Every structure is written in structure tokens, then in C-alpha cells.
Amino acid sequence: MGNTEYEYSSSMNVESVPCVAVPPPQPFFKSLKYSLKETFFPDDPLRRFKNQPVSKRLVLGLQYFFPIFEWAPQYTLKFFKSDLIAGITIASLAIPQGISYAKLANLPPILGLYSSFIPPLIYAMMGSSRDLAVGTVAVGSLLMGSMLSSVVNPNQNPKLFLHLAFTATFFAGVLQASLGLFRLGFIVDFLSHATIVGFMGGAATVVCLQQLKSILGLEHFTHAADIVSVMRSVFTQTHEWRWESAVLGVCFIFFLLLARFFSKRQPKLFWVSAMAPLTSVVLGSLLVYFTHAEKHGVQVIGELKKGLNPTSITDLVFVSPYMSTAIKTGLVVGIIALAEGIAVGRSFAMFKNYHIDGNKEMIAIGTMNIVGSFTSCYLTTGPFSRSAVNYNAGCKTAASNIVMSIAVMVTLLCLTPLFYYTPLVVLSAIIVSAMLGLIDYEAAIHLWKIDKFDFVVCISAYIGVVFGSVEIGLVIAVALSLLRILLFIARPRTFILGNIPNSVIYRNVEQYPNANHVPGILILKIDAPIYFANASYLRERITRWVDEEEDRIKATGETSLQYVIMDMTAVGNIDTSGISMLEEVKKIADRRELQLVLVNPGSEVMKKLNKSTFQVDLGQKWFYLTVAEAVGACNYMLHACKPNSMKDEQEVWNNV
């Protein structure tokens, strides 16, 4: 990396260089309206209503909140055949999973079936995803059970625990619907991909460990979720291990994993993996029934209440001290469920090349949880496993959720007695096989290769969940994600630009080692908006760049530093603290007899610099549109007057 000698003309017409324009002033309320629109309505959802008659607007409004009225008129028999197959397929998965996940949340197993009946019907009317299959999820179930168990013991006071679960579901739905209605979906984006990978992996590990209770046939087990407590509980009761239950559990886990392996190897055999959980339930129930294994330590579900969902609106708890627990639980599980549901919906929408509205999805998921809390359901969203089966089964619309609901309804009305002999160990095997798919070690390895900080966030979330609790892991993950955002804001990238040989292009000298320093000129680029959070850092960093450049010049004996050019192309905005920082940098440059030059400040930046005194103090002649123009002007001045002579320089400008 060397220096470049620049040709200059003594007759250079500096006035011919275009000036950086100051945007015309805008009324305050117009600017505020624009800012609010960009913040809350970036997708412009009201665009479709423009220039439409009132009747058409009413129809469009109805279709916006109830997309079923948009796709139902075009529904065909071909679509119905595909949705029928997909709905029956996901029902075969939803029934055993629902029972299993309700058990994971320390709730009656029948609630898993209730939650696979009403919420999917609501989503089919209000959801915009064609592939999302609605139901309970393992992580949400674990999180709800864990948070509520810390306040109410589900064994000692099951009725209050159940009512708190309904109340937490209600508040989760209110949060989700509110985020959608008020266009606040960007809040969910604070859960980064690395955070979700680590959190999900840790939660899946904890869920798997807790299934040792049923797999080993233990009667008493810890309610704590951390690995130390679980291992202590397991190995202090070795004399109570039931080999019959353990053998059954290992066999069914092997069967379920084998079915998944075949389905992955042959995508056309997706139904093998989808039917495996229901097949396990049937085989396990028959085995227990004919061998009377329940008398030999194998625990069974027992009687499931027959009939459709009873109302639970009067069971919601709005009294102290339990209401605060329900609100806290609802907010946490609501955000997690929302993040998973929207991420899954977007993934499959990308595969099929269609668009889903994130805010509309929030309203749909929130509404189905609110209605669900009134009808004996607990937290539901769009789980990945069920949605993947729905996608692979060839679903065409959200009608597959309606088919699934009907299948679950038939089960509730007629088939619940058949689950009496279903062994709990089979449910645990179903949970373990599902959770192993959530431990995405390949994603963690990818994070390590691409971004070490993301990997740290991921592993921290995982360790926090496994060795602390689900809540601790979530707090650690979110805190690290926010810390990274703060680091991006408070410590923006700044770097030196150099000239690419035989061109007028200027690039980062670290990225392009062949880029040349320009004698007597230091070119810096700020790569972020300038706010109060980073103003002090930028002042200190710019000063250090100047110090380092002067030390380099002294060591090499080059032309003394005369100009500091700051490329502000990437500075999208600036606040008063940022303007004060620029004023301080100018004073520092003046004390060192250096000239500060700004390149291509954006419209918002120029507007604020113009309203302040900084533009006048610096002088309009020191604002340029491109780095090449600024370098050309500075080189002209360097060769047209004596070095370090600000007076001579001013005279040259006056003559020009």
C-alpha cells in the first residue's frame, strides 16, 4: 500500500463542482406523518383501499381480517382433495402430540385435544399462511408449565393451576393481537436467529431430560428444569427404575427416529414419519391392554373426558396474587409462540413463493389464543413439525386446519375411551423424538463459521436454559441480542479509505490492500447514523485516526497532513449530540491547522446541519458530493498554496 501522485490544474474551476443540496423544508406534521408511516406501516396495507368505493372497501376490509373470504370463492375440488389428505395426515400427528404436550405443561391430557380443535378453526378463517398447521408446541408447553409451577403446585392444586394456564393463554393472545393491531411486530425481531437456535436447543434438551421420569417409570420427580436437578432426581432413585418402562421407551424412540430417517431419505414417504406417533400410540395401547403392563409399573393415561370443549371464560383468574403470574407467563410464552409461528409461516411461504403479512398473522394467532382461553384450550401456535408434515402432504390452503379440527372433533366425541391404556412412556418417546429435531447443532456450527458473536449468543442461551432455567436462558439470550444491537449503535464501524490505482474509486484500505493513501489527506468513512450513543466514541476514534496518520507520516517522511475528509454517505441521520461532535472535531482540526471536509451528507443530515450553525461555520465550500471531488479540490489547494498556511489557502479560495 503506497501513495499516489495526483495531477492538478492551476486553472481548476472549483465553482464547477456540484454542491451538496439542502432539501426543501417540510412542515413538522408532514415529516411526523412520514416517520410514523415508515415505522408502523412499511408495507402500506391501506394501498389496496385507495380510490375504491365504500362497498369495495368494506369487502377488502373483511378480506384483510378474514382471508378465508378471499380464497374461499376460488376454492376447487382439486384443492379440497389435497387439503383433505393433508388434514387427515396432520390430525394423526396432532392427536398424540397434543396429549403429550399437555402432559409436558402439567395439564390434563384432554386439553391437548381441545387445543387442536377450536384454535385451528379460528386460524383457518383469519390466518394468511397456506401451510401453517396450528396446535400446541413443546417449548411453549414446557415454558408455561415451568413458570406456573414455580407459584402453584400442579399436583396439590390442579384446579388453580389449570385456571392459571387459561389466564396465561388469554394474556398471551391479548399481547399477540395487540402487537398486530398496533403494527408492533418488529418487537419480535429482537429475538435473533442465533437466540432462537440456542433457546430452542436448550429447551429441547431440558424436555428430553424430563421425559426420563416416564421412561424410567418414576413416581416422584423434581419440578426443576435444570440438568443438575434432573440428574440428581434420576440417580437418587435408581432403586425405583422400571426396566419394563425403560425398554418400551427405548424401543418406541428408536421406531420414531427410524421413521423420521426414512422420511428424510425419501421425501415421498413423508407419511411414514407423520403416522409414526399415532402408530406408536396404537401399538403401545394394545401392548399394555393384552399384557396388563399397567400392573407392572407401566403408567397409563387413564380415562379421558368424552365430549367437546367446555367453556372456561368464567375460570380466568383476575385476582391477586395470581394475576401477575398469569400476565408474566402470558407475555413470555406469547412472544416465544409468536416468534416460532411467524418464522415457520414465512419459511414455507418462501418455498411456495407467496407472501404472508406478519401483523395479520399476529392478529390471527392472538385471536385464536383469546378464543381458546374461553374454550378450555391453552397456548397454541404453528409448530414446525406439524407444519412441515402439512406442507409435505400437499396442502393448498388453510382448509387443511379445518379438516384436522373435524378429525379431532370426531376423536373427542367418539374415540377418547381408546386412549385409556396408552402408556405415558409412549408419549414421552413422541416428545423425545420431536425434541431431538430441535437441537440444531448444524446451525450452531454454521454460526461459529460465520459470526463468532452470534455463536456466543446461541451457546449462552443454550447453557442458560440447560443449567439455569428456561426463563434464565431466555433472559440471557435476549440480553445478549440487545447488547449486540447496542454495540452496533454505540460502536459503529469507521475506516480509512484509499484510492484504487488508475481510478477515482476510494475503498477501505483493509479490504483493498492495494488502495493508496493520498498524500496530505486523511479520508475517513463513518458507517452508521450519528447519535448520542456513539457521538463520544466517534469523536475519540476520529481523533485517534488523525494521531495515527500523523505518526505514520512522521515515520515515512511524507507530505504533512493538511485535510481530513469524512465520507458521510452511510450516515442516514444525526441528532444534536452528533452535531456537537462534528463541531468538536472541527475545533480539534482547527487547533492542529487541519481542514475538515464532509462528503455527501444525506438529506436528513444536511437539513439539520443547515438549521444549526455548523454548515456556516465549516463553510459551504467544504461540502462535496463525492470523495473524488473532495480529493481533487484538496489536492488543488495543496499545490496552490504553502502547506499549513490557512491564510494563503483562504486567499486562493477568494481568487477562485
Side-chain angles (χ1 to χ4, degrees):
M1 181 170 62
N3 296 318
T4 303
E5 293 296 334
Y6 290 87
E7 294 183 0
Y8 63 94
S9 171
S10 60
S11 61
M12 175 182 176
N13 186 2
V14 181
E15 290 182 340
S16 65
V17 177
C19 296
V20 178
V22 178
Q26 296 285 344
F28 170 74
F29 287 105
K30 186 176 181 180
S31 299
L32 179 63
K33 180 182 176 182
Y34 177 80
S35 299
L36 291 175
K37 181 180 178 181
E38 289 302 306
T39 302
F40 299 106
F41 301 96
D43 55 342
D44 194 11
L46 302 179
R47 184 180 64 255
R48 60 193 301 191
F49 294 90
K50 293 178 180 178
N51 303 320
Q52 297 290 346
V54 176
S55 58
K56 182 64 174 178
R57 289 182 181 181
L58 290 174
V59 172
L60 291 174
L62 189 64
Q63 290 177 347
Y64 180 83
F65 288 103
F66 297 94
I68 190 172
F69 291 112
E70 187 174 355
W71 56 261
Q74 288 85 37
Y75 200 70
T76 63
L77 181 61
K78 183 179 179 181
F79 283 3
F80 175 71
K81 290 178 180 178
S82 300
D83 289 336
L84 179 64
I85 295 171
I88 293 174
T89 306
I90 58 176
S92 67
L93 178 65
I95 292 169
Q97 272 192 353
I99 295 172
S100 304
Y101 294 162
K103 169 179 165 286
L104 187 62
N106 298 317
L107 295 169
I110 193 67
L111 258 68
L113 297 182
Y114 290 161
S115 302
S116 296
F117 173 44
I118 298 293
L121 292 175
I122 304 297
Y123 184 82
M125 292 188 291
M126 301 185 68
S128 59
S129 173
R130 305 169 194 167
D131 303 281
L132 205 66
V134 170
T136 55
V137 286
V139 174
S141 300
L142 171 69
L143 197 54
M144 178 175 286
S146 173
M147 294 183 72
L148 294 180
S149 296
S150 63
V151 178
V152 178
N153 190 309
N155 298 320
Q156 296 175 359
N157 201 341
K159 188 174 181 179
L160 177 59
F161 187 88
L162 177 64
H163 293 175
L164 282 178
F166 295 150
T167 311
T169 301
F170 171 77
F171 284 115
V174 169
L175 170 70
Q176 294 165 338
S178 299
L179 290 177
L181 285 171
F182 294 107
R183 316 290 293 181
L184 297 173
F186 60 85
I187 292 177
V188 179
D189 295 334
F190 281 95
L191 290 174
S192 66
H193 173 67
T195 300
I196 293 174
V197 169
F199 177 77
M200 290 293 189
T205 302
V206 168
V207 169
C208 290
L209 291 173
Q210 288 195 332
Q211 300 318 301
L212 291 173
K213 175 187 177 183
S214 297
I215 292 174
L216 297 175
L218 300 175
E219 293 285 347
H220 305 287
F221 205 73
T222 179
H223 290 292
D226 63 284
I227 187 172
V228 176
S229 300
V230 171
M231 290 294 98
R232 185 187 298 117
S233 184
V234 168
F235 287 104
T236 54
Q237 302 182 75
T238 52
H239 57 286
E240 295 185 15
W241 291 5
R242 299 282 185 175
W243 68 267
E244 302 95 335
S245 183
V247 170
L248 272 179
V250 172
C251 290
F252 279 113
I253 290 173
F254 177 76
F255 168 71
L256 291 165
L257 293 178
L258 188 64
R260 180 187 296 172
F261 174 77
F262 279 118
S263 294
K264 282 187 175 181
R265 292 290 297 271
Q266 297 290 335
K268 292 183 179 179
L269 299 178
F270 69 90
W271 55 270
V272 173
S273 178
M275 296 294 292
L278 187 59
T279 304
S280 299
V281 168
V282 173
L283 292 176
S285 300
L286 290 174
L287 185 64
V288 170
Y289 178 76
F290 286 113
T291 62
H292 302 288
E294 77 276 10
K295 298 178 181 178
H296 301 282
V298 177
Q299 301 170 353
V300 296
I301 289 179
E303 185 178 357
L304 287 180
K305 186 178 178 181
K306 200 173 181 181
L308 300 180
N309 305 33
T311 59
S312 56
I313 189 170
T314 57
D315 296 333
L316 302 183
V317 181
F318 296 120
V319 295
S320 209
Y322 302 110
M323 183 176 172
S324 59
T325 301
I327 292 175
K328 182 178 72 170
T329 304
L331 296 181
V332 173
V333 299
I335 289 291
I336 294 298
L338 203 57
E340 181 175 1
I342 292 178
V344 171
R346 284 176 176 167
S347 298
F348 290 109
M350 181 182 64
F351 293 150
K352 287 190 175 179
N353 196 28
Y354 68 92
H355 173 73
I356 66 169
D357 187 332
N359 289 290
K360 193 186 298 183
E361 286 295 286
M362 293 178 192
I363 295 173
I365 294 173
T367 303
M368 75 183 187
N369 278 313
I370 292 173
V371 175
S373 68
F374 297 159
T375 54
S376 299
C377 303
Y378 78 103
L379 185 75
T380 52
T381 186
F384 178 80
S385 58
R386 203 175 300 182
S387 299
V389 170
N390 195 32
Y391 171 83
N392 289 323
C395 68
K396 299 298 182 183
T397 68
S400 58
N401 280 287
I402 299 176
V403 176
M404 178 184 69
S405 292
I406 294 172
V408 173
M409 180 186 71
V410 172
T411 302
L412 286 168
L413 291 174
C414 309
L415 305 179
T416 51
L418 300 179
F419 293 97
Y420 183 92
Y421 288 102
T422 301
L424 296 182
V425 66
V426 170
L427 303 183
S428 294
I430 292 171
I431 292 173
V432 169
S433 66
M435 290 302 96
L436 290 177
L438 291 180
I439 304 175
D440 196 351
Y441 64 90
E442 292 180 349
I445 294 173
H446 181 71
L447 291 174
W448 170 259
K449 292 179 179 178
I450 302 300
D451 193 319
K452 300 297 188 293
F453 192 94
D454 268 352
F455 177 78
V456 170
V457 171
C458 175
I459 292 301
S460 299
Y462 181 87
I463 293 174
V465 173
V466 173
F467 289 93
S469 67
V470 177
E471 299 95 314
I472 291 174
L474 184 61
V475 169
I476 291 174
V478 173
L480 285 173
S481 295
L482 291 176
L483 175 62
R484 182 156 208 199
I485 293 174
L486 292 175
L487 287 176
F488 278 133
I489 295 173
R491 295 294 183 269
R493 288 274 294 165
T494 59
F495 40 85
I496 296 178
L497 300 183
N499 177 249
I500 302 297
N502 303 316
S503 74
V504 291
I505 298 172
Y506 294 82
R507 292 293 181 266
N508 184 358
V509 295
E510 293 181 0
Q511 184 178 359
Y512 297 88
N514 64 326
N516 297 309
H517 283 284
V518 182
I521 303 173
L522 172 63
I523 311 171
L524 301 176
K525 182 167 184 176
I526 301 175
D527 211 21
I530 305 175
Y531 295 120
F532 64 92
N534 59 27
S536 296
Y537 166 77
L538 287 173
R539 182 188 63 250
E540 295 168 3
R541 189 67 185 95
I542 291 168
T543 304
R544 184 151 61 93
W545 279 125
V546 173
D547 292 339
E548 291 173 355
E549 180 69 7
E550 289 182 336
D551 292 341
R552 186 189 69 81
I553 288 173
K554 288 178 182 178
T556 57
E558 298 174 6
T559 304
S560 62
L561 184 62
Q562 297 291 307
Y563 296 93
V564 177
I565 298 176
M566 288 172 53
D567 183 359
M568 300 182 68
T569 303
V571 181
N573 212 330
I574 192 170
D575 66 358
T576 52
S577 298
I579 295 173
S580 298
M581 182 275 292
L582 291 179
E583 291 171 347
E584 292 180 35
V585 170
K586 181 184 180 302
K587 291 177 182 177
I588 293 171
D590 290 345
R591 285 198 298 268
R592 299 188 181 197
E593 295 189 337
L594 303 175
Q595 177 60 55
L596 180 65
V597 182
L598 299 187
V599 171
N600 196 29
S603 61
E604 283 297 315
V605 177
M606 278 304 295
K607 189 189 304 181
K608 293 178 181 178
L609 293 181
N610 182 56
K611 289 180 180 179
S612 69
T613 60
F614 181 78
Q615 186 179 10
V616 176
D617 293 342
L618 183 62
Q620 181 62 40
K621 60 181 176 288
W622 299 117
F623 287 83
Y624 291 91
L625 284 175
T626 67
V627 174
E629 290 173 357
V631 171
C634 293
N635 268 318
Y636 172 74
M637 299 303 301
L638 279 172
H639 293 86
C641 63
K642 287 183 175 182
N644 295 326
S645 177
M646 302 297 287
K647 181 178 179 181
D648 291 344
E649 182 178 299
Q650 186 61 43
E651 290 178 358
V652 170
W653 272 107
N654 292 334
N655 293 330
V656 172

